[in-house]
């Protein structure tokens, strides 16, 4: 039996590890075996990998290029890159902007396939160097799915409204900039931050690199080739914009009976507020919380093209999810009830509707989840991953495909 190999690591709340394992079930339904090797077990890593029969491995996958750079020491003392030597397609998934850890987004050669969760991140990556293999996007899969008949909707109707989000203080980021940037750079980043903050719902804000290049061009500076400077500005401003958005949301939600769970909210005072704050970030625990909740509140990572993972977790539990306005949601029913603008009144009005129309909210949650499953079935995304592996294997064959004609040169010597 052919298999897939999953290289797992560690992320906050064990989020990505759990999502990666869930893919194993999808591959299994397509007739493939599943192997997981933990990159955390440094002592036994090579021993565990040696147990794998790579002749049977259809593809290797990991998150954010974890394990991509594993090297083996040869007898002559030289190092060899394991995956290049084996020639097995290596697929990696990225859920965030390449501006943060660009080295993890480098595509070494055509044996490596990079999938992004959002068009915005894919588009930014394609304008940067070191693209030596396929870069594409996938429709995200529903997460933590549970059969609808296993949900207790009577309990959900009286359940909590959850905002599962780690916080960040935007004022602290501005202080950091002031402590480390030269005056002209500080002026630029302050100007751009103010521009982004003026209209948090502006779709232009989803590609911050465009704003940065335009700003400096207007100021008489050509920074087209200053890629590291651009990535620094993108990462700082993307982080700042997220901090502003989630802080404004939390401030609006304080006056409502919702539950906010996450770390790093010390810059806000919840004393005497209707909202309950719990300093906790635990993926496994939150699975049950979402299933029992009346609804979930989410915010996208400065994107509008595809759903964030918390929407996928809500839809997996047939749970109502309220999020900021996003283009992809216009394909589904109840758009006006599923979204809010980054204005205090807009968010509060939508949450008030949820509290006053609990039966309707439960019905909307089920309807939207089913609509998403029908439009973007899991099997379509998983099949696309496997088909990319087929493309990569042919591109990297070291000899003519068995049974093919002999009147053409394969592989081309100069490619």
């Amino acid at each position: 039996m052919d298999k897939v190999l999953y290289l797992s690591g560690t992320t906050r709340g064990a989020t990505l590890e759990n999502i990666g394992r869930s893919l194993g079930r999808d591959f299994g339904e397509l007739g493939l075996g599943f192997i997981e090797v933990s990159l955390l077990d440094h002592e036994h890593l090579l021993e565990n990998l040696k147990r794998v029969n790579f002749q049977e491995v259809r593809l290797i996958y990991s998150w954010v290029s974890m394990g991509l750079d594993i090297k083996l020491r040869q007898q002559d003392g030289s190092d060899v890159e394991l995956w290049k030597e084996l020639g097995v397609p290596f697929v990696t998934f990225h859920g965030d902007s390449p501006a943060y850890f660009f080295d993890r987004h480098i595509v070494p050669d055509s044996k490596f396939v990079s999938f992004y969760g959002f068009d915005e991140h894919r588009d930014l990556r394609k304008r940067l160097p070191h693209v030596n293999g396929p870069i594409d996007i996938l429709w995200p899969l529903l997460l933590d799915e549970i059969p609808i008949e296993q949900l207790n909707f009577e309990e959900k109707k009286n359940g909590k409204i959850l905002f599962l989000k780690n916080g960040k203080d935007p004022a602290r980021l501005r202080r950091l900039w002031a402590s480390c940037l030269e005056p002209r750079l500080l002026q630029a980043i302050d100007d751009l931050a103010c521009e982004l903050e003026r209209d948090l719902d502006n779709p232009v804000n989803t590609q911050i690199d465009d704003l940065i290049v335009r700003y400096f061009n207007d100021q008489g500076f050509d920074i087209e080739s200053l890629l590291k400077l651009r990535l620094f500005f993108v990462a700082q401003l993307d982080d700042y914009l997220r901090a502003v958005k989630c802080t404004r949301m939390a401030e609006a939600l304080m006056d409502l009976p919702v539950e906010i769970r996450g770390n790093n909210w010390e810059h806000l005072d919840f004393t005497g507020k209707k909202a309950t704050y719990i300093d906790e970030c635990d993926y496994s625990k939150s699975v049950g919380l979402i299933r029992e909740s009346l609804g979930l509140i989410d915010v996208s990572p400065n994107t509008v093209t595809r759903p964030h993972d918390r929407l996928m977790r809500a839809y997996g539990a047939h749970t109502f999810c309220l999020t900021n306005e996003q283009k992809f949601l216009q394909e589904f029913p109840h758009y006006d009830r599923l979204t809010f603008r980054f204005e205090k009144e807009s968010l509060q009005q939508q949450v008030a509707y949820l509290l006053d129309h609990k039966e309707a909210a439960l019905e909307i949650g089920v309807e939207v989840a089913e609509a998403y499953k029908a439009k973007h079935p899991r099997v379509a995304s998983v099949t696309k991953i496997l088909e990319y592996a087929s493309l990569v294997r042919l591109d990297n064959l070291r000899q003519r495909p068995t049974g093919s004609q002999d009147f053409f040169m394969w592989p081309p010597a100069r490619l």
Side-chain angles (χ1 to χ4, degrees), residues 171-190:
R172 180 174 177 272
L173 292 176
R174 282 188 176 270
R175 292 193 296 271
L176 286 174
W177 297 340
S179 72
C180 68
L181 293 178
E182 296 178 11
R184 186 63 189 87
L185 293 172
L186 179 60
Q187 180 63 55
I189 204 166
D190 280 341

Side-chain angles (χ1 to χ4, degrees), residues 155-400:
E155 286 186 2
K156 282 179 71 66
K157 186 169 70 173
N158 298 307
K160 298 172 181 176
I161 300 174
L162 300 172
F163 182 40
L164 306 177
K165 186 77 180 76
N166 292 322
K168 182 161 285 189
D169 182 1
R172 180 174 177 272
L173 292 176
R174 282 188 176 270
R175 292 193 296 271
L176 286 174
W177 297 340
S179 72
C180 68
L181 293 178
E182 296 178 11
R184 186 63 189 87
L185 293 172
L186 179 60
Q187 180 63 55
I189 204 166
D190 280 341
D191 289 347
L192 284 161
C194 289
E195 181 175 350
L196 290 167
E197 201 170 349
R198 267 195 296 273
D199 183 1
L200 298 182
D201 294 290
N202 190 340
V204 175
N205 295 355
T206 62
Q207 196 54 270
I208 295 173
D209 185 48
D210 289 340
L211 301 179
I212 294 165
V213 172
R214 188 210 67 207
Y215 170 86
F216 279 101
N217 185 62
D218 290 347
Q219 297 288 317
F221 297 97
D222 171 20
I223 64 164
E224 197 75 36
S225 61
L226 302 182
L227 297 179
K228 291 188 286 293
L229 177 142
R230 283 164 53 192
L231 289 180
F232 176 84
F233 268 70
V234 171
Q236 294 298 313
L237 291 166
D238 183 78
D239 193 36
Y240 179 78
L241 190 56
R242 295 191 200 190
V244 170
K245 287 177 177 178
C246 69
T247 296
R248 289 194 187 177
M249 289 175 65
E251 289 171 339
L253 294 171
M254 281 181 172
D255 299 326
L256 298 166
V258 304
E259 186 170 284
I260 300 172
R261 285 178 178 257
N263 305 140
N264 306 323
W265 285 106
E266 295 82 4
H267 60 293
L268 297 184
D269 185 3
F270 292 90
T271 305
K273 302 295 183 180
K274 290 184 179 180
T276 300
Y277 170 57
I278 299 174
D279 186 1
E280 177 182 84
C281 179
D282 186 323
Y283 184 98
S284 296
K285 186 174 182 179
S286 64
V287 172
L289 293 172
I290 294 171
R291 290 174 179 175
E292 297 166 0
S293 70
L294 171 63
L296 192 66
I297 301 171
D298 189 39
V299 56
S300 70
N302 299 327
T303 57
V304 296
T305 51
R306 292 172 196 256
H308 187 235
D309 66 273
R310 276 186 287 272
L311 258 78
M312 295 296 88
R313 299 181 68 195
Y315 295 172
H318 292 86
T319 296
F320 180 95
C321 189
L322 177 65
T323 189
N324 53 292
E325 291 183 343
Q326 295 172 63
K327 185 169 66 173
F328 82 91
L329 276 170
Q330 295 172 5
E331 305 172 351
F332 300 103
H334 309 291
Y335 178 78
D336 60 332
R337 287 298 168 205
L338 297 173
T339 60
F340 63 87
R341 295 180 64 81
F342 287 105
E343 300 161 353
K344 184 175 182 178
E345 296 76 14
S346 174
L347 179 55
Q348 289 183 338
Q349 287 171 6
Q350 293 293 59
V351 175
Y353 175 87
L354 178 58
L355 291 167
D356 293 339
H357 301 82
K358 295 181 178 181
E359 288 281 2
L362 294 176
E363 292 172 4
I364 291 172
V366 171
E367 187 177 349
V368 174
E370 291 298 321
Y372 186 88
K373 281 202 296 185
K375 192 170 183 63
H376 303 294
R378 297 179 69 89
V379 68
S381 291
V382 178
T383 299
K384 185 174 182 178
I385 296 169
L386 292 170
E387 289 173 344
Y388 256 109
S390 296
L391 301 178
V392 166
R393 275 195 303 276
L394 176 58
D395 191 73
N396 285 278
L397 279 181
R398 296 172 183 176
Q399 59 188 18
R400 188 188 313 279

